[in-house]
Amino acid sequence: MAGFLQQVINGLSLGSIYALIALGYTMVYGIIQLINFAHGDILMVGAYIGFFAVVYLKLNIWWAFIIAMAGASLLGVIIERVAYKPLRNAPRLAALITAIGMSLLLENGGLMILGTDIRSYPVGTITNKQLPLSFLGIQLTATTLQLLILAVTVVMMIILQYIVHYTWTGKAMRAVSYDRDAARLMGINVDETISVTFALGSAFAAVAGILLGLYYNTIQPLMGIMPGLKAFVAAVIGGIGLIPGAMLGGFALGVFETMVSGYWSSKMRDPIVFILLILILLLKPAGLLGRNNTEKV
Amino acid sequence: MLLLKVENLNVYYGAIHALKGITLEVNEGEIVTLIGANGAGKSTTLKTISGLLRPQSGTITYNGEVINGLPAQAIVKKGISHVPEGRRIFPNLTVMENLELGAYLHRSREGMKKSIQEVFRRFPRLRERQKQMAGTLSGGEQQMLAIGRALMSRPKLLLLDEPSMGLAPILVQEIFNIIKEINEQGTTILLVEQNANMALSVAHRGYVLETGRITLTGSAAELISSEDVKKAYLGG
Ligand SMILES: Nc1ncnc2c1ncn2[C@@H]1O[C@H](COP(=O)(O)OP(=O)(O)O)[C@@H](O)[C@H]1O
Ligand SMILES: [Mg+2]
């Protein structure tokens, strides 16, 4: 029992990073129906911006988060404007292939500029201690890093919920994602709204990038690939385009993955995740929270 | 006073020539109707006026200013509000959120509250359902919401695309009464309808559109008694 609960704790902290990444996938999909395959690589750029802020600018981790979010947002907006916007009325496959190309560009650009060196955030970037926890009399441990990851994720999610549901920007985002032309008739600037969505999604990716860098204690130019794919799976599990779905999918996948490596084999962890993706696509393509939208006449 | 003038408008969808040089005018205070069969180009006309489509050639002058080529959001801002065909409310947003979005460009709290109260006075059923998801409303209520949402921006010119589509006869009558009332309170209306009878009963003037061309125009009374219109659109 203690072992199982311990896996849940580990799974939730990894899962919350997946959830942060999945939110960006799902927001972008919701608004322009594009799987932004470069999303994982934006995460990598965010992680590096955070790294340079800590190492060269000697800033603390909180400033690193903020600068990384700003930098990644800018990158996300530029990618959308330059690569995706011209294809907005083109067949979806064209945009999808462009997204894959953008991903390769960022990965190889990263390798070229940053080299293949594996870096890590300096010791002491955050204080990492083991904390004893007791749950119904069962002794467990969590690290301060795990708690930081959970706390940051929860705060980011609350901020996102607030933006989406209570601000004009959020209302515009929802309107554009449901019906672009109807949104234009309300006076909403669709291009601006799409940019804001990319900015938000990329800021979330940057936070996830730094958290991943701290969690695995490494950053490298290809670090976004696997978490990006996993988060994509998480978004599909929850129902692509649905914000609560991305959160649920992220947490669920994190716990599932941790269980698979804990109780079965860590070699099976990645293959099982992709088998899960195939099963979801076959059995419930709309995702756990998705339903087939019936139109009302 | 001339409020809207459309001159020699040509609109294409790729190779399809949907509007072939149409010209029409709407004076302030009028209800002008544009009638025609399915596929004649009625919706295309409205979409071009509201900026959802760009014309290949021709001009649209509103209030003395050329507006074709402006983005849709700039045109709403100038006071033209378009209720699209099929209502196009946001089904997963609440009734209240739909109305608020209608005032997206007029977000001052006070003005917004006042506009919402006005819409609720006109459509009491929307007040009762304000917290409901718009997609759960009946067809008639959705049409009321679509009109209410368009009124939130306090337009001078309201473009209505087939407001009676898919509604039971009693609701059609109700919607047309509301259209008349909105007009009497000072909003100019360009009304697109397949239900020519109904449209001509509330309109001052009308245009008949056939495959992208205006084939007939006149006062509502003239059009109702025209043999061509009777044969083609009034079922006899
Ligand atoms: N998105 C579109 N793509 C291609 N052709 C279109 C599109 N929308 C309308 N059309 C064509 O343009 C013509 C006019 O359509 P429309 O304005 O919708 O007619 P109406 O509203 O009078 O029924 C029709 O021949 C229709 O098939
Ligand atoms: Mg039409």
Side-chain angles (χ1 to χ4, degrees), chain B residues 54-107:
Chain B
R54 276 165 190 248
Q56 190 85 4
S57 64
T59 52
I60 302 170
T61 318
Y62 168 75
N63 237 345
E65 195 183 343
V66 175
I67 58 165
N68 49 281
L70 291 180
Q73 69 263 21
I75 292 173
V76 194
K77 200 160 196 170
K78 292 194 183 294
I80 300 181
S81 205
H82 178 177
V83 180
E85 183 176 317
R87 316 186 248 280
R88 308 282 285 266
I89 51 150
F90 301 110
N92 303 346
L93 268 58
T94 64
V95 167
M96 186 58 115
E97 285 172 330
N98 268 272
L99 291 176
E100 286 170 354
L101 279 168
Y104 188 78
L105 295 173
H106 306 264
R107 296 177 229 173

Short mmCIF file of all heavy atoms in Angstrom, two decimals, chain B residues 54-107:
data_model
loop_
_atom_site.label_atom_id
_atom_site.label_comp_id
_atom_site.label_asym_id
_atom_site.label_seq_id
_atom_site.Cartn_x
_atom_site.Cartn_y
_atom_site.Cartn_z
N ARG B 54 -14.37 39.13 -49.21
CA ARG B 54 -13.90 40.30 -49.93
C ARG B 54 -14.38 40.25 -51.37
O ARG B 54 -14.26 39.22 -52.02
CB ARG B 54 -12.37 40.34 -49.92
CG ARG B 54 -11.87 40.97 -48.66
CD ARG B 54 -10.43 40.71 -48.44
NE ARG B 54 -10.10 41.15 -47.09
CZ ARG B 54 -9.32 42.19 -46.83
NH1 ARG B 54 -8.76 42.87 -47.81
NH2 ARG B 54 -9.09 42.55 -45.58
N PRO B 55 -14.91 41.36 -51.85
CA PRO B 55 -15.37 41.36 -53.24
C PRO B 55 -14.18 41.44 -54.20
O PRO B 55 -13.14 42.02 -53.86
CB PRO B 55 -16.22 42.63 -53.33
CG PRO B 55 -15.68 43.52 -52.27
CD PRO B 55 -15.14 42.64 -51.18
N GLN B 56 -14.37 40.87 -55.37
CA GLN B 56 -13.37 40.97 -56.42
C GLN B 56 -13.35 42.40 -56.96
O GLN B 56 -12.30 42.97 -57.20
CB GLN B 56 -13.76 40.00 -57.54
CG GLN B 56 -12.72 39.81 -58.59
CD GLN B 56 -11.74 38.73 -58.14
OE1 GLN B 56 -11.93 38.12 -57.10
NE2 GLN B 56 -10.71 38.53 -58.92
N SER B 57 -14.56 42.95 -57.12
CA SER B 57 -14.66 44.34 -57.55
C SER B 57 -15.98 44.90 -57.06
O SER B 57 -16.83 44.17 -56.58
CB SER B 57 -14.57 44.43 -59.07
OG SER B 57 -15.68 43.77 -59.64
N GLY B 58 -16.12 46.21 -57.19
CA GLY B 58 -17.33 46.87 -56.72
C GLY B 58 -17.06 47.60 -55.42
O GLY B 58 -15.99 47.45 -54.83
N THR B 59 -18.02 48.43 -55.01
CA THR B 59 -17.83 49.16 -53.76
C THR B 59 -19.03 49.02 -52.85
O THR B 59 -20.16 48.85 -53.30
CB THR B 59 -17.59 50.67 -53.99
OG1 THR B 59 -18.65 51.15 -54.82
CG2 THR B 59 -16.27 50.95 -54.64
N ILE B 60 -18.75 49.08 -51.57
CA ILE B 60 -19.79 49.12 -50.56
C ILE B 60 -19.55 50.40 -49.77
O ILE B 60 -18.49 50.61 -49.20
CB ILE B 60 -19.69 47.90 -49.61
CG1 ILE B 60 -19.80 46.61 -50.43
CG2 ILE B 60 -20.77 47.97 -48.55
CD1 ILE B 60 -19.48 45.36 -49.63
N THR B 61 -20.53 51.28 -49.81
CA THR B 61 -20.41 52.55 -49.10
C THR B 61 -21.41 52.57 -47.96
O THR B 61 -22.59 52.29 -48.17
CB THR B 61 -20.69 53.73 -50.05
OG1 THR B 61 -20.06 53.47 -51.29
CG2 THR B 61 -20.17 55.03 -49.49
N TYR B 62 -20.91 52.85 -46.77
CA TYR B 62 -21.78 52.89 -45.61
C TYR B 62 -21.59 54.24 -44.95
O TYR B 62 -20.45 54.63 -44.66
CB TYR B 62 -21.41 51.76 -44.64
CG TYR B 62 -22.05 51.86 -43.28
CD1 TYR B 62 -23.39 51.55 -43.10
CD2 TYR B 62 -21.30 52.28 -42.18
CE1 TYR B 62 -23.97 51.65 -41.85
CE2 TYR B 62 -21.88 52.37 -40.93
CZ TYR B 62 -23.21 52.06 -40.77
OH TYR B 62 -23.80 52.15 -39.53
N ASN B 63 -22.70 54.98 -44.79
CA ASN B 63 -22.59 56.28 -44.15
C ASN B 63 -21.59 57.18 -44.88
O ASN B 63 -20.84 57.91 -44.24
CB ASN B 63 -22.11 56.08 -42.71
CG ASN B 63 -23.10 56.68 -41.74
OD1 ASN B 63 -23.96 57.47 -42.14
ND2 ASN B 63 -22.97 56.34 -40.48
N GLY B 64 -21.54 57.06 -46.19
CA GLY B 64 -20.64 57.90 -46.96
C GLY B 64 -19.20 57.45 -47.01
O GLY B 64 -18.34 58.15 -47.57
N GLU B 65 -18.92 56.26 -46.47
CA GLU B 65 -17.53 55.81 -46.37
C GLU B 65 -17.40 54.44 -47.04
O GLU B 65 -18.25 53.57 -46.83
CB GLU B 65 -17.21 55.68 -44.88
CG GLU B 65 -15.77 55.57 -44.53
CD GLU B 65 -15.60 55.36 -43.02
OE1 GLU B 65 -16.58 55.63 -42.26
OE2 GLU B 65 -14.53 54.92 -42.62
N VAL B 66 -16.36 54.28 -47.84
CA VAL B 66 -16.17 52.97 -48.49
C VAL B 66 -15.67 51.98 -47.46
O VAL B 66 -14.68 52.22 -46.77
CB VAL B 66 -15.15 53.09 -49.65
CG1 VAL B 66 -14.87 51.71 -50.24
CG2 VAL B 66 -15.70 54.02 -50.72
N ILE B 67 -16.39 50.86 -47.31
CA ILE B 67 -16.01 49.90 -46.26
C ILE B 67 -15.53 48.57 -46.81
O ILE B 67 -15.08 47.73 -46.04
CB ILE B 67 -17.15 49.66 -45.26
CG1 ILE B 67 -18.39 49.13 -45.99
CG2 ILE B 67 -17.46 50.90 -44.46
CD1 ILE B 67 -19.42 48.52 -45.04
N ASN B 68 -15.65 48.34 -48.12
CA ASN B 68 -15.22 47.02 -48.57
C ASN B 68 -13.70 46.94 -48.45
O ASN B 68 -12.98 47.90 -48.69
CB ASN B 68 -15.69 46.70 -49.99
CG ASN B 68 -15.42 47.81 -50.98
OD1 ASN B 68 -16.15 48.78 -51.02
ND2 ASN B 68 -14.36 47.66 -51.73
N GLY B 69 -13.24 45.77 -48.03
CA GLY B 69 -11.81 45.60 -47.79
C GLY B 69 -11.44 45.76 -46.33
O GLY B 69 -10.38 45.32 -45.90
N LEU B 70 -12.32 46.37 -45.55
CA LEU B 70 -12.03 46.47 -44.10
C LEU B 70 -12.25 45.10 -43.46
O LEU B 70 -13.11 44.34 -43.90
CB LEU B 70 -12.95 47.48 -43.43
CG LEU B 70 -12.78 48.96 -43.76
CD1 LEU B 70 -13.80 49.79 -42.99
CD2 LEU B 70 -11.37 49.42 -43.42
N PRO B 71 -11.49 44.78 -42.40
CA PRO B 71 -11.76 43.52 -41.71
C PRO B 71 -13.10 43.58 -40.99
O PRO B 71 -13.59 44.66 -40.65
CB PRO B 71 -10.61 43.40 -40.71
CG PRO B 71 -10.10 44.79 -40.54
CD PRO B 71 -10.38 45.52 -41.81
N ALA B 72 -13.69 42.39 -40.78
CA ALA B 72 -15.03 42.32 -40.18
C ALA B 72 -15.12 43.11 -38.88
O ALA B 72 -16.10 43.81 -38.64
CB ALA B 72 -15.42 40.87 -39.95
N GLN B 73 -14.06 43.04 -38.06
CA GLN B 73 -14.18 43.70 -36.76
C GLN B 73 -14.27 45.22 -36.89
O GLN B 73 -14.91 45.88 -36.08
CB GLN B 73 -13.07 43.29 -35.78
CG GLN B 73 -11.68 43.78 -36.10
CD GLN B 73 -10.87 42.71 -36.85
OE1 GLN B 73 -11.43 41.81 -37.45
NE2 GLN B 73 -9.55 42.83 -36.81
N ALA B 74 -13.66 45.76 -37.95
CA ALA B 74 -13.75 47.21 -38.16
C ALA B 74 -15.16 47.59 -38.62
O ALA B 74 -15.65 48.68 -38.31
CB ALA B 74 -12.71 47.64 -39.19
N ILE B 75 -15.78 46.70 -39.36
CA ILE B 75 -17.12 46.99 -39.88
C ILE B 75 -18.16 46.93 -38.76
O ILE B 75 -19.04 47.79 -38.69
CB ILE B 75 -17.44 46.05 -41.06
CG1 ILE B 75 -16.52 46.43 -42.24
CG2 ILE B 75 -18.90 46.14 -41.46
CD1 ILE B 75 -16.59 45.51 -43.41
N VAL B 76 -18.04 45.95 -37.86
CA VAL B 76 -18.96 45.92 -36.70
C VAL B 76 -18.83 47.22 -35.93
O VAL B 76 -19.81 47.79 -35.48
CB VAL B 76 -18.60 44.81 -35.69
CG1 VAL B 76 -19.74 44.59 -34.72
CG2 VAL B 76 -18.21 43.53 -36.37
N LYS B 77 -17.61 47.66 -35.78
CA LYS B 77 -17.35 48.86 -35.00
C LYS B 77 -18.06 50.08 -35.59
O LYS B 77 -18.47 50.99 -34.87
CB LYS B 77 -15.85 49.11 -34.93
CG LYS B 77 -15.46 50.00 -33.78
CD LYS B 77 -14.01 49.84 -33.43
CE LYS B 77 -13.73 50.41 -32.06
NZ LYS B 77 -12.40 50.08 -31.58
N LYS B 78 -18.21 50.07 -36.92
CA LYS B 78 -18.87 51.21 -37.56
C LYS B 78 -20.38 51.16 -37.42
O LYS B 78 -21.07 52.08 -37.83
CB LYS B 78 -18.50 51.24 -39.04
CG LYS B 78 -17.04 51.57 -39.26
CD LYS B 78 -16.75 51.94 -40.69
CE LYS B 78 -15.28 52.19 -40.89
NZ LYS B 78 -14.81 53.39 -40.14
N GLY B 79 -20.90 50.03 -36.87
CA GLY B 79 -22.35 50.01 -36.62
C GLY B 79 -23.15 49.08 -37.51
O GLY B 79 -24.36 49.23 -37.65
N ILE B 80 -22.48 48.11 -38.16
CA ILE B 80 -23.21 47.11 -38.93
C ILE B 80 -23.11 45.79 -38.19
O ILE B 80 -22.03 45.33 -37.87
CB ILE B 80 -22.61 46.94 -40.35
CG1 ILE B 80 -22.67 48.26 -41.11
CG2 ILE B 80 -23.36 45.84 -41.10
CD1 ILE B 80 -22.12 48.17 -42.53
N SER B 81 -24.26 45.20 -37.89
CA SER B 81 -24.25 43.94 -37.15
C SER B 81 -24.94 42.89 -38.00
O SER B 81 -25.99 43.15 -38.57
CB SER B 81 -24.98 44.16 -35.83
OG SER B 81 -24.55 43.27 -34.87
N HIS B 82 -24.34 41.71 -38.08
CA HIS B 82 -24.80 40.67 -39.00
C HIS B 82 -25.25 39.45 -38.21
O HIS B 82 -24.47 38.88 -37.47
CB HIS B 82 -23.61 40.33 -39.93
CG HIS B 82 -23.87 39.25 -40.93
ND1 HIS B 82 -22.94 38.88 -41.85
CD2 HIS B 82 -24.93 38.46 -41.15
CE1 HIS B 82 -23.43 37.90 -42.61
NE2 HIS B 82 -24.63 37.62 -42.19
N VAL B 83 -26.52 39.07 -38.36
CA VAL B 83 -27.01 37.83 -37.77
C VAL B 83 -26.93 36.77 -38.86
O VAL B 83 -27.73 36.78 -39.79
CB VAL B 83 -28.47 37.97 -37.28
CG1 VAL B 83 -28.96 36.66 -36.66
CG2 VAL B 83 -28.61 39.12 -36.30
N PRO B 84 -25.96 35.87 -38.78
CA PRO B 84 -25.72 34.99 -39.92
C PRO B 84 -26.77 33.90 -40.08
O PRO B 84 -27.53 33.62 -39.14
CB PRO B 84 -24.35 34.38 -39.61
CG PRO B 84 -24.20 34.48 -38.14
CD PRO B 84 -25.01 35.66 -37.69
N GLU B 85 -26.78 33.32 -41.26
CA GLU B 85 -27.68 32.20 -41.53
C GLU B 85 -27.36 31.05 -40.57
O GLU B 85 -26.19 30.79 -40.28
CB GLU B 85 -27.46 31.75 -42.98
CG GLU B 85 -28.37 30.65 -43.43
CD GLU B 85 -28.15 30.32 -44.90
OE1 GLU B 85 -28.01 31.24 -45.72
OE2 GLU B 85 -28.11 29.13 -45.23
N GLY B 86 -28.41 30.41 -40.07
CA GLY B 86 -28.18 29.30 -39.15
C GLY B 86 -27.82 29.76 -37.76
O GLY B 86 -27.36 28.98 -36.94
N ARG B 87 -27.97 31.06 -37.49
CA ARG B 87 -27.83 31.68 -36.15
C ARG B 87 -26.42 31.75 -35.62
O ARG B 87 -26.02 32.75 -35.08
CB ARG B 87 -28.74 30.97 -35.14
CG ARG B 87 -30.13 30.71 -35.71
CD ARG B 87 -31.05 30.16 -34.70
NE ARG B 87 -31.44 28.78 -34.94
CZ ARG B 87 -32.37 28.41 -35.81
NH1 ARG B 87 -33.00 29.32 -36.52
NH2 ARG B 87 -32.69 27.15 -35.96
N ARG B 88 -25.68 30.62 -35.72
CA ARG B 88 -24.27 30.65 -35.33
C ARG B 88 -24.03 31.23 -33.94
O ARG B 88 -23.07 31.97 -33.70
CB ARG B 88 -23.45 31.44 -36.35
CG ARG B 88 -23.67 30.98 -37.77
CD ARG B 88 -22.91 29.71 -38.09
NE ARG B 88 -21.52 29.99 -38.26
CZ ARG B 88 -20.95 30.23 -39.46
NH1 ARG B 88 -21.67 30.23 -40.55
NH2 ARG B 88 -19.66 30.45 -39.53
N ILE B 89 -24.92 30.87 -33.01
CA ILE B 89 -24.62 31.22 -31.61
C ILE B 89 -23.49 30.32 -31.14
O ILE B 89 -23.16 29.34 -31.81
CB ILE B 89 -25.87 31.02 -30.73
CG1 ILE B 89 -26.42 29.62 -31.01
CG2 ILE B 89 -26.92 32.08 -31.01
CD1 ILE B 89 -27.08 29.01 -29.87
N PHE B 90 -22.89 30.64 -30.00
CA PHE B 90 -21.83 29.79 -29.47
C PHE B 90 -22.47 28.77 -28.52
O PHE B 90 -22.83 29.12 -27.40
CB PHE B 90 -20.79 30.63 -28.73
CG PHE B 90 -20.16 31.67 -29.63
CD1 PHE B 90 -20.42 33.01 -29.44
CD2 PHE B 90 -19.31 31.28 -30.66
CE1 PHE B 90 -19.85 33.96 -30.27
CE2 PHE B 90 -18.73 32.22 -31.50
CZ PHE B 90 -19.00 33.57 -31.30
N PRO B 91 -22.65 27.53 -28.98
CA PRO B 91 -23.48 26.59 -28.22
C PRO B 91 -22.92 26.23 -26.85
O PRO B 91 -23.67 25.97 -25.92
CB PRO B 91 -23.56 25.35 -29.11
CG PRO B 91 -22.43 25.47 -30.07
CD PRO B 91 -22.15 26.93 -30.23
N ASN B 92 -21.60 26.23 -26.72
CA ASN B 92 -21.00 25.82 -25.44
C ASN B 92 -20.75 26.99 -24.50
O ASN B 92 -20.09 26.83 -23.48
CB ASN B 92 -19.69 25.08 -25.67
CG ASN B 92 -19.87 23.87 -26.56
OD1 ASN B 92 -20.99 23.44 -26.80
ND2 ASN B 92 -18.78 23.34 -27.07
N LEU B 93 -21.23 28.15 -24.88
CA LEU B 93 -21.16 29.30 -23.97
C LEU B 93 -22.57 29.56 -23.44
O LEU B 93 -23.55 29.22 -24.09
CB LEU B 93 -20.63 30.54 -24.71
CG LEU B 93 -19.12 30.77 -24.68
CD1 LEU B 93 -18.36 29.60 -25.23
CD2 LEU B 93 -18.76 32.03 -25.44
N THR B 94 -22.63 30.19 -22.28
CA THR B 94 -23.95 30.46 -21.73
C THR B 94 -24.62 31.57 -22.54
O THR B 94 -23.98 32.28 -23.31
CB THR B 94 -23.87 30.93 -20.26
OG1 THR B 94 -23.17 32.17 -20.23
CG2 THR B 94 -23.15 29.92 -19.38
N VAL B 95 -25.93 31.68 -22.33
CA VAL B 95 -26.70 32.74 -22.99
C VAL B 95 -26.08 34.10 -22.65
O VAL B 95 -25.86 34.94 -23.53
CB VAL B 95 -28.17 32.67 -22.53
CG1 VAL B 95 -28.94 33.92 -22.93
CG2 VAL B 95 -28.82 31.42 -23.11
N MET B 96 -25.74 34.28 -21.38
CA MET B 96 -25.15 35.54 -20.95
C MET B 96 -23.82 35.80 -21.66
O MET B 96 -23.56 36.90 -22.13
CB MET B 96 -24.97 35.51 -19.43
CG MET B 96 -24.50 36.81 -18.85
SD MET B 96 -25.64 38.14 -19.25
CE MET B 96 -26.22 38.55 -17.64
N GLU B 97 -22.98 34.78 -21.72
CA GLU B 97 -21.69 34.96 -22.38
C GLU B 97 -21.86 35.28 -23.87
O GLU B 97 -21.12 36.10 -24.42
CB GLU B 97 -20.83 33.70 -22.22
CG GLU B 97 -20.25 33.54 -20.82
CD GLU B 97 -19.55 32.20 -20.60
OE1 GLU B 97 -19.95 31.19 -21.22
OE2 GLU B 97 -18.61 32.15 -19.81
N ASN B 98 -22.83 34.66 -24.50
CA ASN B 98 -23.10 34.98 -25.89
C ASN B 98 -23.44 36.46 -26.04
O ASN B 98 -22.95 37.14 -26.94
CB ASN B 98 -24.27 34.14 -26.41
CG ASN B 98 -23.81 32.84 -27.07
OD1 ASN B 98 -23.53 32.80 -28.26
ND2 ASN B 98 -23.71 31.80 -26.28
N LEU B 99 -24.30 36.94 -25.14
CA LEU B 99 -24.70 38.35 -25.23
C LEU B 99 -23.50 39.26 -24.97
O LEU B 99 -23.30 40.26 -25.67
CB LEU B 99 -25.82 38.65 -24.23
CG LEU B 99 -27.17 37.99 -24.56
CD1 LEU B 99 -28.18 38.27 -23.46
CD2 LEU B 99 -27.71 38.48 -25.91
N GLU B 100 -22.70 38.89 -23.97
CA GLU B 100 -21.53 39.73 -23.66
C GLU B 100 -20.60 39.82 -24.88
O GLU B 100 -20.08 40.89 -25.18
CB GLU B 100 -20.76 39.14 -22.48
CG GLU B 100 -21.47 39.36 -21.15
CD GLU B 100 -20.83 38.57 -20.01
OE1 GLU B 100 -19.92 37.77 -20.26
OE2 GLU B 100 -21.29 38.76 -18.87
N LEU B 101 -20.43 38.70 -25.57
CA LEU B 101 -19.56 38.72 -26.75
C LEU B 101 -20.11 39.65 -27.82
O LEU B 101 -19.36 40.25 -28.58
CB LEU B 101 -19.37 37.31 -27.30
CG LEU B 101 -18.33 36.49 -26.55
CD1 LEU B 101 -18.41 35.03 -26.95
CD2 LEU B 101 -16.93 37.03 -26.83
N GLY B 102 -21.43 39.77 -27.85
CA GLY B 102 -22.02 40.70 -28.82
C GLY B 102 -21.56 42.12 -28.57
O GLY B 102 -21.54 42.95 -29.48
N ALA B 103 -21.20 42.42 -27.33
CA ALA B 103 -20.74 43.77 -26.99
C ALA B 103 -19.23 43.81 -26.85
O ALA B 103 -18.69 44.67 -26.16
CB ALA B 103 -21.41 44.23 -25.69
N TYR B 104 -18.56 42.89 -27.52
CA TYR B 104 -17.10 42.78 -27.37
C TYR B 104 -16.39 44.11 -27.59
O TYR B 104 -15.40 44.42 -26.94
CB TYR B 104 -16.58 41.74 -28.36
CG TYR B 104 -15.13 41.41 -28.19
CD1 TYR B 104 -14.71 40.56 -27.17
CD2 TYR B 104 -14.16 41.94 -29.04
CE1 TYR B 104 -13.38 40.25 -27.00
CE2 TYR B 104 -12.82 41.64 -28.87
CZ TYR B 104 -12.43 40.80 -27.85
OH TYR B 104 -11.12 40.50 -27.69
N LEU B 105 -16.89 44.90 -28.52
CA LEU B 105 -16.23 46.18 -28.81
C LEU B 105 -16.76 47.33 -27.94
O LEU B 105 -16.33 48.45 -28.06
CB LEU B 105 -16.40 46.54 -30.28
CG LEU B 105 -15.72 45.59 -31.27
CD1 LEU B 105 -16.10 45.94 -32.69
CD2 LEU B 105 -14.22 45.64 -31.10
N HIS B 106 -17.73 47.00 -27.10
CA HIS B 106 -18.34 48.05 -26.25
C HIS B 106 -18.38 47.52 -24.84
O HIS B 106 -19.43 47.19 -24.31
CB HIS B 106 -19.77 48.35 -26.71
CG HIS B 106 -19.86 48.69 -28.16
ND1 HIS B 106 -19.88 49.98 -28.62
CD2 HIS B 106 -19.91 47.91 -29.25
CE1 HIS B 106 -19.95 49.98 -29.93
NE2 HIS B 106 -19.97 48.73 -30.35
N ARG B 107 -17.18 47.43 -24.22
CA ARG B 107 -17.13 46.65 -22.99
C ARG B 107 -17.31 47.44 -21.71
O ARG B 107 -17.14 46.87 -20.65
CB ARG B 107 -15.80 45.92 -22.90
CG ARG B 107 -15.64 44.93 -23.98
CD ARG B 107 -14.29 44.31 -23.90
NE ARG B 107 -13.66 44.34 -25.21
CZ ARG B 107 -12.41 43.99 -25.43
NH1 ARG B 107 -11.65 43.61 -24.45
NH2 ARG B 107 -11.93 44.04 -26.64
#
